[in-house]
Structure formats: structure tokens, C-alpha cells
Amino acid sequence: MKNNKRYEELLFDLPDYISGKITDKARISEIENQINSDAEFRSEYENLKLTFNTLENIKIDEPSDAFFNNLLPKIHQKINEKEIPQEHKVSFWDRFFPVLKYVLPVLVLITFLYIYNIDNSTVINKFDTLTSKSNEVIINEKNIEPNIDSGNLLAEQNVQEIKNIEKSNSKSNDLQIMNVVDVTQPETSLFFNDSELEIDDYEMDNLSQEDEEAILTILNQEL
Amino acid sequence: MLIDEFKNGNINAYNTLVRKYQKKIYSLIRKMVLDHDDASDITQEVFIKLYSSLKDFRGESKFFTYIYRIAVNYSINHLNKKNRILSRSADIENESYHLSSDEAGADEKFDSELKSKFLDKAIGLLPEQQRIVFNLRFYENLSYEEISQITNKSVGGMKANYFHAVKKIQEYFKKKNL
């Protein structure tokens, strides 16, 4: 086995030996010994040598210099052709976006200024005008002191008091001034004196029927 | 240096690389695909590929190993696509070489062209791996280690491939009386 493997290794070295590519002197000596001592190995050597002689004598056709001179421009042309279609693939949005990214902040700022206008007279809460039901909450007006801070306009609003009101019959869609009824003054105060009003809820709930009739009689008389 | 310059945007560095390697790359591809027009197209594709991939080249291997690997792979892909084994017409197959003493001197050019065609034929008959190793070893004079890096195969296998490739060419030449 070792001899066969060794023989095969020497055989595989023959092409490089013939071409002069083997530089190891020990290897060269070993190959030459095998050539001199082994007829079969020598036959392989001679056949391969003829083949290499033929190969080296065959002229390889090469293109003219003009071919190679034109190669680089052709390469660049193909590179450019591969890049150009990508430009055509730019969508409308991709073209529009560069403009939009500058225009959009300006539009936002203008919209912001419109909603929060810098008029010094009043500040109107737009959302209140949209409701049209009873028990609207009205924010009493105060003078607005605009506070300009870094280009942004802020409106300071003082809310004096918020009260529950009865809706007026006004049909205006603007801010409606409702009649404010002081809920702390019930109608009963018009008919009873202070001492009589000092009846707590418990006592009110536990009045006898005679007391209730007396109260009603007094109320009818007053009316 | 040229590669670093190209990475920094110097297109002239790329042009220099093309001019430096175009003949070798064309020659290698030409012996693989055995057709000038195909070799021309593939050569251009190799350098176009180089243009886009060179920025990722980390220098872990030699540059010529890198570009030769691209050329070999593109050639193999082309051959697989074309499903070629032989590249020449039947007249070459049926023809054998007869050189008489009267003809040799008078028609050397024809003889040379015929031998060249026979050689193309012989190389075209080689299995893919043997064809690659033969071209890189005999014509490009690369070491087995370098061929191993290009083909990503073992060094020991390269030597065997080379021997068997030469033996097959020898048998073809003998058959054609070359």
C-alpha cells in the first residue's frame, strides 16, 4: 500500500517536474531515480513530456489591443446603465417628500397660529360653541394677556367662576351669556325667616301632617 | 493602495485595476468558456461585479485571488447555464491532424490555428474542476495553495486534478495525431 501510494505521489509530481516547477532537490532526485528504475514510470514521464511540448508550442489566440482598449469604456457604460434605471424608479412621493419636509412645518405653524390667534381682545374657546345642550359650562371671560414665547403665541385665560346655569332662549351660536341664578338662595328664603329656615333635613323629613298643612297654608297666604 | 483609493471614491484607481487585470481575467475566462464573445461578456460582468463589491473587500486574501475567484465562479455559472461540454463543430471532431514535411512550412498559420482549436476542444472535454486547475496551473502558473484558495478545495486534490487533466489532454492529442 505504501509503495502504491508513494508511486502515485511521484506520478502526480511528474507534470510539475517536467514543467520545472519542483524546486525540492530531494524530491527531484527521488523522481529521477524512479524514472531510471521503473519502465512503466519512465513511459508515463515520456508521454507527458511530449504533451507538454505540444502544449507549449500551441499559440493561444489573443484579442487585439483594440479589444482591451475598448473594454473599460464598455464596463463603465454598463455600470451607468445599471444605475440609471434606479433613478426612474423614484416615485412621485420620493420626489414630493423633499419639498414637503420643508413646507409641512410652515403649514403646521400657520395652522397653529390661526387656531390660537394672537388677537389681544378675547380668547374664545372654540369647543364650547359646538355644544348646544343644557347645562353648558361657560367660562367667563377675562382679558387675555398674550405671552409671546420663542415665536409661539400663548393665551393665558383666567377663569373667574364656573356655575351651572339655565339655558336662555337666545338662538345665537356664539358665546351665550346665560342668566346666572344664585343657587345659594333658594326660593324658600323669600317666605321664611331665618329661624324658620333653621330646619335641618332630618326635621324636614319628620314633619307631622299638621305641620306640613300649616306651612302650605302660610305659603298660599303669602302668594 | 489602489483598493483603498477606490474605497475613498477615486474612480481612477478602479480604472487602473481594470487595465492591470483585464488580459489575465479575459485569458482565464476564455480558456474556461472557449468562446471569445462569451469570454468578453463575462469579463465585463466580472469587473462590474468588482465595482460593486470592492468596497467590501477586507484584504483577508490577495486581491488577485479575490478577482480570480469571481472570474472562475462566473465562468462556471455560464457553463452550467449553457450546459456546454464541447464548443466546436463536428468538422473538428472528425478531423485529425496530419502534418507532412511539405505542408508544415507553407501553412504554419493554418497548423497553428488547427492545433489551437484542438487544444480548446481537449480543454472543453475536461471536467469542470480539472479544467479550472489546469488553466490556473499551466497558463496562470499559480501554486496549488493559491488554486486551493480560489476554488476552495484541498491542496492535495489540486495536484491529482492537474495530473488527470494533462493525461486526458494527452489522450486527446494522441487520438488526433497531434
Side-chain angles (χ1 to χ4, degrees):
Chain A
M1 288 293 290
K2 187 177 180 181
N3 288 338
N4 287 338
K5 187 178 179 182
R6 187 64 183 165
Y7 179 86
E8 191 177 73
E9 287 177 357
L10 291 174
L11 198 63
F12 289 166
D13 278 338
L14 269 180
D16 291 334
Y17 169 77
I18 294 169
S19 300
K21 288 184 170 67
I22 295 181
T23 56
D24 182 3
K25 291 182 179 178
R27 192 66 169 182
I28 292 174
S29 177
E30 195 173 357
I31 293 172
E32 289 175 347
N33 287 338
Q34 191 71 25
I35 292 172
N36 294 330
S37 62
D38 189 331
E40 185 180 349
F41 192 85
R42 185 168 54 252
S43 176
E44 287 283 0
Y45 162 74
E46 289 172 353
N47 287 329
L48 285 173
K49 191 174 181 183
L50 280 173
T51 302
F52 273 98
N53 285 340
T54 305
L55 284 169
E56 287 166 1
N57 289 328
I58 295 176
K59 292 182 181 178
I60 305 298
D61 291 332
E62 288 185 357
S64 63
D65 289 340
F67 168 78
F68 290 109
N69 290 336
N70 291 329
L71 195 61
L72 186 58
K74 285 183 181 178
I75 292 169
H76 278 291
Q77 182 181 357
K78 287 190 176 181
I79 290 172
N80 293 334
E81 285 174 358
K82 287 189 177 184
E83 288 176 352
I84 286 176
Q86 291 177 358
E87 292 178 5
H88 289 306
K89 290 179 185 175
V90 175
S91 66
F92 172 78
W93 176 250
D94 289 336
R95 293 183 184 177
F96 183 67
F97 182 74
V99 177
L100 189 63
K101 70 179 179 181
Y102 294 109
V103 173
L104 191 60
V106 175
L107 289 176
V108 169
L109 183 62
I110 292 173
T111 305
F112 186 82
L113 291 174
Y114 176 74
I115 294 175
Y116 295 94
N117 67 70
I118 58 174
D119 190 353
N120 290 328
S121 58
T122 58
V123 172
I124 301 173
N125 189 331
K126 298 288 184 181
F127 292 103
D128 290 339
T129 62
L130 297 177
T131 59
S132 58
K133 296 183 179 178
S134 60
N135 297 327
E136 290 181 4
V137 177
I138 291 182
I139 301 172
N140 289 334
E141 300 173 348
K142 267 279 195 178
N143 289 332
I144 300 170
E145 296 179 354
N147 184 14
I148 298 176
D149 180 24
S150 300
N152 294 324
L153 182 64
L154 302 177
E156 292 186 352
Q157 186 176 12
N158 293 323
V159 178
Q160 189 175 22
E161 55 184 58
I162 300 174
K163 299 180 178 179
N164 290 326
I165 61 166
E166 293 181 355
K167 181 179 179 182
S168 72
N169 293 325
S170 173
K171 295 182 181 179
S172 171
N173 290 326
D174 295 329
L175 178 64
Q176 300 176 2
I177 300 176
M178 307 298 180
N179 291 325
V180 178
V181 177
D182 186 358
V183 296
T184 60
Q185 296 182 335
E187 292 180 354
T188 52
S189 64
L190 299 174
F191 307 103
F192 296 96
N193 56 32
D194 289 341
S195 61
E196 292 173 333
L197 287 174
E198 290 178 356
I199 303 173
D200 59 17
D201 291 337
Y202 177 76
E203 290 179 341
M204 287 295 291
D205 290 337
N206 292 287
L207 287 175
S208 64
Q209 187 173 358
E210 293 176 353
D211 290 337
E212 288 180 3
E213 290 176 356
I215 291 170
L216 286 172
T217 304
I218 294 171
L219 285 172
N220 288 329
Q221 287 174 357
E222 292 293 329
L223 288 175
Chain B
M1 288 292 291
L2 286 173
I3 298 171
D4 291 335
E5 288 182 23
F6 173 71
K7 287 181 179 181
N8 290 330
N10 184 357
I11 195 67
N12 287 328
Y14 170 79
N15 295 341
T16 304
L17 286 171
V18 173
R19 292 191 193 97
K20 183 177 179 181
Y21 286 95
Q22 60 181 359
K23 285 189 178 180
K24 282 188 174 291
I25 294 300
Y26 168 83
S27 177
L28 172 63
I29 295 171
R30 174 69 172 77
K31 291 181 182 60
M32 287 292 297
V33 302
L34 304 176
D35 180 81
H36 167 72
D37 292 331
D38 291 343
S40 174
D41 291 340
I42 296 171
T43 301
Q44 294 175 42
E45 291 299 318
V46 168
F47 284 108
I48 292 170
K49 172 66 177 179
L50 185 72
Y51 182 85
S52 62
S53 68
L54 196 55
K55 63 181 184 303
D56 299 324
F57 179 69
R58 294 189 292 256
E60 295 172 349
S61 62
K62 292 180 181 179
F63 175 74
F64 84 88
T65 305
Y66 177 74
I67 194 172
Y68 272 42
R69 187 184 297 138
I70 296 174
V72 167
N73 288 336
Y74 271 54
S75 299
I76 292 173
N77 290 339
H78 172 82
L79 291 173
N80 290 335
K81 195 184 298 182
K82 294 283 187 180
N83 197 23
R84 275 189 190 179
I85 299 177
L86 300 176
S87 64
R88 291 294 178 257
S89 57
D91 58 336
I92 297 291
E93 183 62 33
N94 295 330
E95 194 170 348
S96 58
Y97 184 77
H98 297 287
L99 179 63
S100 68
S101 58
D102 295 332
E103 292 173 339
D107 208 2
E108 270 187 39
K109 185 178 179 182
F110 176 79
D111 291 336
S112 178
E113 288 178 357
L114 193 60
K115 286 180 183 178
S116 179
K117 290 179 181 178
F118 278 130
L119 176 58
D120 282 351
K121 183 80 168 182
I123 294 174
L125 287 172
L126 294 176
E128 185 179 281
Q129 188 64 29
Q130 288 180 15
R131 190 189 308 187
I132 294 169
V133 175
F134 175 77
N135 285 327
L136 292 175
R137 182 67 172 166
F138 182 76
Y139 288 108
E140 304 301 322
N141 204 26
L142 300 182
S143 68
Y144 289 118
E145 289 75 19
E146 291 168 335
I147 298 172
S148 172
Q149 290 178 5
I150 291 169
T151 60
N152 206 25
K153 303 285 185 184
S154 66
V155 174
M158 299 298 100
K159 195 178 285 188
N161 278 322
Y162 186 53
F163 173 80
H164 291 301
V166 176
K167 283 291 289 184
K168 284 190 172 69
I169 293 173
Q170 172 191 306
E171 290 168 9
Y172 187 83
F173 282 173
K174 195 174 182 179
K175 180 181 172 183
K176 296 298 178 185
N177 294 325
L178 227 57

